[in-house]
Amino acid sequence: MKSEKKLDIARSEFIKSFNSLVGILRMNGLSRKVSLGLTLMALIGGRASIRNTSITFGLNYANLLKALEDLENTWRDYLETLRKVIVGPVVVIIDDTFDHKPYSRIEGIASKHGNYFAWCSTHKRFEPGIQVLTIALYDLATGKSHLVGAFPYATRKMWESGMVSEFKTKIEMAAEIIETLKGLFPVCRVVFDSWYWSEKLVGGGVVSELKSNRRLLRVRPLEGTLGVEGHPHVGDLPPGSYLADLTLGDQVITIKLLILVYKDNRLNLYTTDLNLRDEEIERTWKIRWEIEKLHRDVKALDMQDSSFLKRQRFHGYLLLFVMVVNTVRDLISSLNLRSVEEFLRFVEIRLGGALGLMKMFKLR
């Protein structure tokens, strides 16, 4: 990005990409200035918060909060936009992450509006935050991953103790979203980890992992004709390929089980597609790690830096980050940058930071 000509091209690509997001928001009745403020929120330096955005762009804080509540239909509009970008069959990736909310206005253990004290496995303590279900699509034709949703959810314990008045498990949410995605995209497989074993999710084309203590009803090695006696645990089986019967809810299903050692770790992979080759099972499982890269990029854009008293606003805020992170990742590729952090430095140094963005988009 040394020459002035290359910088002009980069600036043009940047404006084009973010104007596309603004167009999606404006379809839901938002003004251009409010739409620009929201889409540029994560790039202006400092905390990626609604308060900071209102001060930087001279926007009314209450109007920005109201705008977040008006984004209910924007998710489906954005999916329609992605349909034009994705060209091949896709793998749906399901995962969840803990979104730290250091600025959360919580009282005791819950605000009853979406911000909670929850156990953080990274820091081994209770911290203000929220669990977020994340869904991504991996385009098998291009090798590109797209984050398509981030949805906050409460745990059953929170619901039963009266912390929240609404409740839907992450498995129920994931099942509903998968059905929506199957109606819009050519979904060939769905991949998730062992925590999502449920009759609501384990259908055709699933690739996932079993826990070592999972008991099997019947096991038949694919390399031979002899079965394994008794009802062994998955962890009792040596590496290899098997057909295995096990319970799923009130029924018994047959899966293809692939046990292998990868980087000194044992993987107990399975698929409901009995014809899927071992190499494809392993390849699909590796695709799951694409969503971890998306988690990293979302957090690099400071998703944790706003707190809301209304859950509906948080839904809108998360949707904005889904849209922005995909746009930023595309720009990183087209501008030959290496990371979100390098992209943010590019915005600050080469595009002039917040003042430069306001000039580029004629906000002032």
Side-chain angles (χ1 to χ4, degrees):
M1 203 67 62
K2 293 181 179 179
S3 71
E4 199 63 33
K5 183 178 180 181
K6 287 185 178 179
L7 182 59
D8 286 340
I9 294 173
R11 188 182 290 112
S12 176
E13 285 289 318
F14 184 95
I15 293 173
K16 179 181 177 182
S17 296
F18 275 85
N19 273 335
S20 176
L21 294 187
V22 169
I24 296 171
L25 296 186
R26 295 204 67 189
M27 288 171 61
N28 288 272
L30 302 187
S31 70
R32 180 178 179 275
K33 192 170 184 178
V34 167
S35 299
L36 275 169
L38 291 175
T39 55
L40 297 174
M41 175 174 55
L43 311 179
I44 59 177
R47 290 172 53 192
S49 69
I50 297 298
R51 177 73 68 184
N52 192 28
T53 303
S54 68
I55 294 171
T56 302
F57 296 124
L59 297 166
N60 183 278
Y61 178 61
N63 287 347
L64 285 180
L65 291 178
K66 179 63 168 60
L68 291 179
E69 297 180 34
D70 293 339
L71 296 182
E72 185 175 353
N73 298 319
T74 304
W75 183 60
R76 290 184 178 273
D77 294 337
Y78 186 59
L79 292 184
E80 290 292 340
T81 302
L82 279 181
R83 288 181 69 182
K84 303 172 184 176
V85 176
I86 294 175
V87 297
V90 298
V91 175
V92 177
I93 313 170
I94 301 172
D95 202 2
D96 51 85
T97 186
F98 183 79
D99 176 27
H100 293 85
K101 309 298 283 184
Y103 308 102
S104 178
R105 292 167 285 180
I106 54 179
E107 298 175 2
I109 55 177
S111 69
K112 296 188 179 180
H113 299 286
N115 301 309
Y116 315 113
F117 265 134
W119 177 257
C120 174
S121 58
T122 301
H123 299 131
K124 308 300 181 186
R125 62 175 182 248
F126 283 94
E127 296 183 341
I130 194 165
Q131 280 103 346
V132 179
L133 175 73
T134 49
I135 312 285
L137 295 178
Y138 182 84
D139 188 341
L140 290 171
T142 62
K144 291 183 64 176
S145 53
H146 308 268
L147 189 64
V148 296
F151 308 92
Y153 67 92
T155 63
R156 185 177 295 276
K157 182 178 180 181
M158 291 175 179
W159 180 65
E160 290 175 346
S161 64
M163 285 183 179
V164 291
S165 57
E166 81 289 345
F167 176 70
K168 189 178 292 184
T169 68
K170 63 181 180 181
I171 288 177
E172 290 170 333
M173 291 175 64
E176 291 178 8
I177 294 165
I178 286 174
E179 288 306 307
T180 298
L181 295 178
K182 284 182 176 180
L184 295 171
F185 301 95
V187 175
C188 66
R189 285 191 284 282
V190 180
V191 59
F192 43 77
D193 66 22
S194 59
W195 292 103
Y196 289 86
W197 176 266
S198 168
E199 61 269 28
K200 292 184 174 70
L201 287 182
V202 180
V206 163
V207 173
S208 184
E209 185 178 18
L210 289 177
K211 295 180 180 180
S212 294
N213 62 356
R214 180 79 192 190
R215 188 175 291 279
L216 305 171
L217 300 179
R218 183 186 177 200
V219 183
R220 290 146 285 169
L222 288 176
E223 290 80 6
T225 57
L226 296 177
V228 177
E229 294 183 3
H231 305 295
H233 292 100
V234 173
D236 296 331
L237 300 175
S241 296
Y242 304 86
L243 289 179
D245 297 342
L246 69 171
T247 57
L248 177 65
D250 57 359
Q251 61 180 320
V252 175
I253 68 166
T254 301
I255 61 169
K256 181 177 180 181
L257 179 61
L258 174 64
I259 299 176
L260 49 85
V261 177
Y262 178 73
K263 293 184 178 180
D264 297 326
N265 293 318
R266 178 186 168 103
L267 293 178
N268 307 312
L269 307 181
Y270 77 86
T271 180
T272 54
D273 183 352
L274 304 184
N275 297 315
L276 201 61
R277 293 180 290 114
D278 291 357
E279 311 88 75
E280 282 300 308
I281 297 173
E282 186 176 353
R283 180 181 173 226
T284 303
W285 180 250
K286 289 179 180 178
I287 286 174
R288 192 182 72 86
W289 295 104
E290 287 292 315
I291 205 166
E292 299 296 341
K293 299 177 186 177
L294 290 162
H295 289 169
R296 178 199 63 201
D297 290 346
V298 168
K299 291 177 180 179
L301 292 168
D302 292 329
M303 183 180 75
Q304 74 276 13
D305 279 346
S306 259
S307 176
F308 303 97
L309 290 177
K310 288 187 178 182
R311 195 174 179 84
Q312 192 175 10
R313 294 172 184 172
F314 190 46
H315 273 282
Y317 183 77
L318 289 175
L319 172 62
L320 287 172
F321 267 85
V322 166
M323 297 166 64
V324 170
V325 74
N326 287 329
T327 300
V328 167
R329 284 168 64 89
D330 285 341
L331 284 170
I332 287 171
S333 176
S334 64
L335 301 181
N336 294 317
L337 300 174
R338 292 174 294 183
S339 65
V340 170
E341 291 82 2
E342 187 175 355
F343 175 80
L344 292 175
R345 288 195 296 272
F346 169 79
V347 172
E348 183 64 30
I349 297 170
R350 304 307 301 271
L351 299 185
L355 291 176
L357 294 177
M358 286 189 278
K359 184 178 180 180
M360 287 167 53
F361 289 98
K362 298 179 176 58
L363 283 167
R364 284 187 182 174

